Amino acid sequence: MITTLIRRAIQAGFVIFAMTLIVFLGVNVIGNPVDILINPDLNQAERLRVMQNLGLDQPLWRQYLSFLHGLTQGNFGDSFVYSKPALDVIVERLPATLELALCAMLIALVVGLPLGLYAGLYPERLSSRLIMTGSILGFSLPTFWVGLMFILLFAVQLGWLPSNGRGETAEFLGARWSFLTSDGLAHLFLPALNLALFKTSLILRLTRAGVQEVVMQDFVKFARAKGLRENRIVLVHILKNLMIPVVTIIGLEFGSLIAFSVVTESIFGWPGMGKLIIDSINLLDRPVIVAYLMMMVVLFVSLNFIIDICYTLLDPRVRLDGKG
Amino acid sequence: MDTKLADAADIAVTEAPPPRRVWPAIRRFFSAPAALLGAVGLLLVIGAAIFAPLISPQDPYDLMQLDIMDSRLAPGSESFSGVPYHLGTDGQGRDILSGILYGLRTSLIVGIASAFVAALIGTTAGLMAAYMGGRTETFMMRLVDLQLSFPTILMALMVLAILGNGVTNVVLAIIVAEWATYARTARGTALVEREKEYIEAARCLRIPGHRVLLRHLLPNCLAPIIVIATMQVARAIGLEATLSFLGLGASVTQPSLGMLIANGYQYLLSGLYWISFYPGIALLITIVSINLVGDRLRDVLNPRNAR
């Protein structure tokens, strides 16, 4: 167990290291920082001075070392657009994205789980077929287009909900959150629903497949034979056995929600990390891009690490130290 | 002498797995109404894209044909010179229908090209991994695992952040984001096929490795790869549209469907719905049709469902 843990940790560390190399080489060798960073109107002497200031005249390996050095201290350089440390700019936006992703996950769970349960228990009913067809749409509909249609329907035509920004926020735990005010909640609803769409379909299908598998098992037949009430069979015997795959998916998909919030945030003008990275790519704000990419790498590597460890703890059959 | 033997063996050995009958499979494919619907939709979409210059009322790239007086007309209205705009016009006076027909071209080309190259790279990697085993396999599959642990959109953003915007870079980004799926599928199938007798027979006959790989292993691994490829075309089209919508993809002069939808974004709040709505419907029809066809292909090509 300890060996597995250590081996996994070393692998995770190695992956992060490899990704720093890729990101650094990508941004500094394939893209040309001199063209991106330096005002083309400057004369040769001024150019040289700026290059020296940014350390671009150094050999590549030394630049990489100083990049790594900055990394260990969370220093990615200052954003060109905001003139603040890049990491600060991103961390400021973190609560907005986190809030959006968590709400979306909640919606996906509250809608997807009961519908999936229903469709799995009564697969022959017309309503179940409708639910399953709907879930295909949930997979196929392009998220950004659905977002636009949400704005068109709820914000423009009906005028029920706002379509832009976070609305009023309230302070909690040192960050500002929208879900604490009614205005903020109204602003949060459409983007969260939009982001939740895909995951709802996913959880729905997973639940349905799980139910159909569990219903055939002996312990459910036995519970029926004992004359337990249907409610109890569904809520205790079936639901409990479903929770393992569903919880796994929630863990796995949370990271992807944060990544996909890029799209939703851009549509709804939600001032989170996703909108920031798109703006930064368009404005060539290199320090913010690098900081965001590195943050995502660390996030996903740690998420996978945690999930792997959970698997070993929960299910001794999963032997991680087998291959690779 | 050696090659002759190998040829003879090729013939003998490839006949070992039962020959696939084409007609019953096709009939079975169309026996599901959803698949029929998908196939018809797909044919319509592809036809529309191929014959776009012939059937579209206007060439949306020809500035001479555009009239700024015709901008933002509602669906069903007519131009100054009496040409009907069935789906309305956008901010530059471009006919939305023509825009969609031409946009389909860009979307389909990007989707198919990136899915094809990704399939090529991924399948090669997967087959090599399965066939060679050992270090190569471990390394390759570690790479695939790593890649698949990142969401596609993040991989695509990473590539675009490094390379910059543009259609070619979007294709590259999609390839980078998607090849791993093929590699995993190809390896999975090849691992099963590798253990079968006909491969063993081919090896015993000392047929060279590359030949076993290409002539014996590959054809028998194709079915699941084709299914994945079909689905991935839909995903690639969706991803391209998303990236274009975010302003990272297609150029203004060669709009894809995502770009057309993005164009309508600024008019949405003033209620000019058609600029975004109809290109979105076209995108939806394309993706759903491909998915329906792919879904059915999976059922038909899966040997477990053969009877």
Side-chain angles (χ1 to χ4, degrees):
Chain A
M1 182 65 218
I2 299 287
T3 347
T4 317
L5 218 133
I6 293 171
R7 186 182 289 175
R8 282 272 142 176
I10 292 173
Q11 277 174 356
F14 183 75
V15 166
I16 291 177
F17 177 75
M19 291 308 272
T20 62
L21 201 63
I22 291 173
V23 170
F24 174 81
L25 284 179
V27 175
N28 287 285
V29 178
I30 300 174
N32 186 350
V34 181
D35 291 345
I36 297 170
L37 301 187
I38 298 174
N39 186 347
D41 297 336
L42 294 180
N43 65 37
Q44 200 58 36
E46 283 171 318
R47 273 179 78 100
L48 265 177
R49 202 169 43 78
V50 179
M51 275 177 75
Q52 267 165 10
N53 264 346
L54 293 169
L56 293 176
D57 54 340
Q58 304 281 328
L60 208 57
W61 62 269
R62 190 166 284 170
Q63 282 187 49
Y64 179 63
L65 282 186
S66 65
F67 171 72
L68 277 187
H69 183 71
L71 218 62
T72 53
Q73 300 173 338
N75 175 16
F76 293 89
D78 286 358
S79 155
F80 307 143
V81 179
Y82 303 94
S83 318
K84 277 195 290 190
L87 198 62
D88 293 1
V89 176
I90 293 179
V91 170
E92 248 169 43
R93 308 286 194 104
L94 187 63
T97 299
L98 225 51
E99 175 177 62
L100 186 62
L102 281 172
C103 277
M105 196 50 105
L106 196 70
I107 293 176
L109 206 58
V110 168
V111 178
L113 199 62
L115 286 183
L117 208 58
Y118 179 83
L121 286 173
Y122 314 105
E124 297 305 322
R125 286 192 192 170
L126 185 67
S127 40
S128 301
R129 297 229 173 105
L130 279 179
I131 291 172
M132 292 319 288
T133 317
S135 79
I136 294 181
L137 274 185
F139 273 124
S140 300
L141 284 167
T143 310
F144 67 101
W145 185 70
V146 177
L148 293 187
M149 293 305 115
F150 277 174
I151 292 182
L152 188 68
L153 184 65
F154 294 110
V156 180
Q157 302 285 345
L158 299 172
W160 287 352
L161 291 164
S163 68
N164 200 342
R166 286 185 81 182
E168 213 177 299
T169 52
E171 180 132 352
F172 177 62
L173 291 177
R176 306 205 67 87
W177 306 91
S178 287
F179 72 96
L180 295 171
T181 67
S182 59
D183 182 50
L185 266 183
H187 279 83
L188 182 59
F189 185 68
L190 280 186
L193 193 64
N194 184 225
L195 191 58
L197 205 70
F198 189 84
K199 300 297 171 214
T200 310
S201 303
L202 189 69
I203 291 182
L204 196 160
R205 301 202 133 223
L206 199 78
T207 312
R208 176 177 173 270
V211 168
Q212 291 190 319
E213 207 169 287
V214 175
V215 162
M216 308 303 277
Q217 307 259 332
D218 288 343
F219 62 83
V220 174
K221 282 184 196 156
F222 181 64
R224 288 234 161 85
K226 266 202 314 191
L228 288 182
R229 272 182 301 126
E230 190 64 23
N231 271 349
R232 194 177 159 77
I233 296 177
V234 171
L235 290 180
V236 177
H237 294 87
I238 294 180
L239 201 59
K240 241 188 190 171
N241 283 285
L242 278 179
M243 284 330 276
I244 298 169
V246 170
V247 167
T248 315
I249 274 297
I250 291 174
L252 277 172
E253 295 296 320
F254 186 70
S256 97
L257 268 181
I258 288 185
F260 274 96
S261 70
V262 167
V263 181
T264 302
E265 285 177 11
S266 299
I267 298 169
F268 292 93
W270 190 260
M273 299 194 305
K275 188 166 161 32
L276 178 72
I277 180 70
I278 296 298
D279 292 344
S280 303
I281 291 178
N282 282 325
L283 296 169
L284 295 173
D285 195 350
R286 200 176 61 117
V288 175
I289 298 174
V290 172
Y292 176 84
L293 291 181
M294 284 324 299
M295 217 165 131
M296 284 293 136
V297 168
V298 172
L299 174 78
F300 278 95
V301 171
S302 349
L303 260 180
N304 280 307
F305 180 66
I306 294 169
I307 290 167
D308 275 349
I309 299 302
C310 286
Y311 274 167
T312 8
L313 288 178
L314 288 175
D315 192 345
R317 282 172 302 177
V318 183
R319 285 229 311 272
L320 292 171
D321 37 354
K323 219 170 199 178
Chain B
M1 161 69 199
D2 227 342
T3 49
K4 240 186 185 166
L5 187 68
D7 269 339
D10 254 355
I11 295 161
V13 172
T14 36
E15 272 172 10
R20 287 214 172 76
R21 298 226 171 73
V22 178
W23 274 111
I26 291 179
R27 209 175 307 138
R28 223 148 47 82
F29 178 89
F30 285 114
S31 65
L36 192 64
L37 195 72
V40 170
L42 194 57
L43 273 182
L44 275 179
V45 165
I46 293 175
I50 291 175
F51 297 113
L54 297 178
I55 52 178
S56 65
Q58 185 192 63
D59 181 355
Y61 306 133
D62 186 3
L63 291 175
M64 293 300 286
Q65 293 188 23
L66 302 182
D67 190 343
I68 198 73
M69 297 297 286
D70 287 345
S71 69
R72 287 174 279 165
L73 292 177
S77 45
E78 283 186 359
S79 79
F80 191 65
S81 46
V83 184
Y85 292 127
H86 299 290
L87 301 181
T89 60
D90 69 1
Q92 277 90 49
R94 251 192 292 257
D95 178 32
I96 297 289
L97 180 62
S98 311
I100 290 175
L101 292 174
Y102 277 87
L104 268 178
R105 296 185 133 191
T106 315
S107 289
L108 281 179
I109 290 172
V110 169
I112 292 171
S114 51
F116 182 76
V117 179
L120 215 62
I121 297 173
T123 308
T124 313
L127 284 185
M128 295 277 273
Y131 192 74
M132 290 178 165
R135 282 260 169 85
T136 326
E137 185 177 21
T138 315
F139 175 74
M140 218 85 106
M141 288 304 121
R142 277 267 131 220
L143 203 64
V144 166
D145 281 345
L146 175 67
Q147 169 101 52
L148 288 177
S149 67
F150 291 95
T152 45
I153 191 144
L154 191 68
M155 291 308 301
L157 277 183
M158 209 176 262
V159 173
L160 289 175
I162 291 171
L163 295 179
N165 309 348
V167 187
T168 338
N169 291 344
V170 167
V171 173
L172 272 177
I174 298 174
I175 293 170
V176 168
E178 305 278 356
W179 73 276
T181 322
Y182 295 97
R184 176 170 279 186
T185 313
R187 172 175 169 265
T189 327
L191 279 184
V192 177
E193 292 293 328
R194 195 181 65 177
E195 304 303 323
K196 294 197 174 158
E197 281 96 353
Y198 68 92
I199 294 291
E200 203 179 320
R203 275 184 171 158
C204 289
L205 285 164
R206 286 184 50 214
I207 294 171
H210 63 97
R211 210 181 164 89
V212 178
L213 210 64
L214 287 177
R215 297 282 298 268
H216 300 268
L217 198 55
L218 179 63
N220 288 296
C221 294
L222 269 185
I225 293 169
I226 290 173
V227 174
I228 299 275
T230 320
M231 303 290 210
Q232 293 290 22
V233 170
R235 287 193 62 184
I237 290 175
L239 190 57
E240 187 276 333
T242 306
L243 293 170
S244 289
F245 174 77
L246 293 173
L248 304 174
S251 60
V252 191
T253 52
Q254 205 180 353
S256 69
L257 291 176
M259 188 81 186
L260 292 175
I261 297 172
N263 277 343
Y265 181 46
Q266 48 179 320
Y267 300 109
L268 207 60
L269 290 177
S270 29
L272 309 179
Y273 68 92
W274 57 88
I275 306 177
S276 283
F277 182 73
Y278 291 115
I281 293 288
L283 185 62
L284 183 64
I285 293 175
T286 313
I287 294 178
V288 171
S289 303
I290 297 176
N291 279 341
L292 285 177
V293 169
D295 223 32
R296 191 62 191 154
L297 270 183
R298 179 169 49 202
D299 291 345
V300 172
L301 290 179
N302 191 345
R304 268 186 300 173
N305 302 341
R307 259 149 287 162

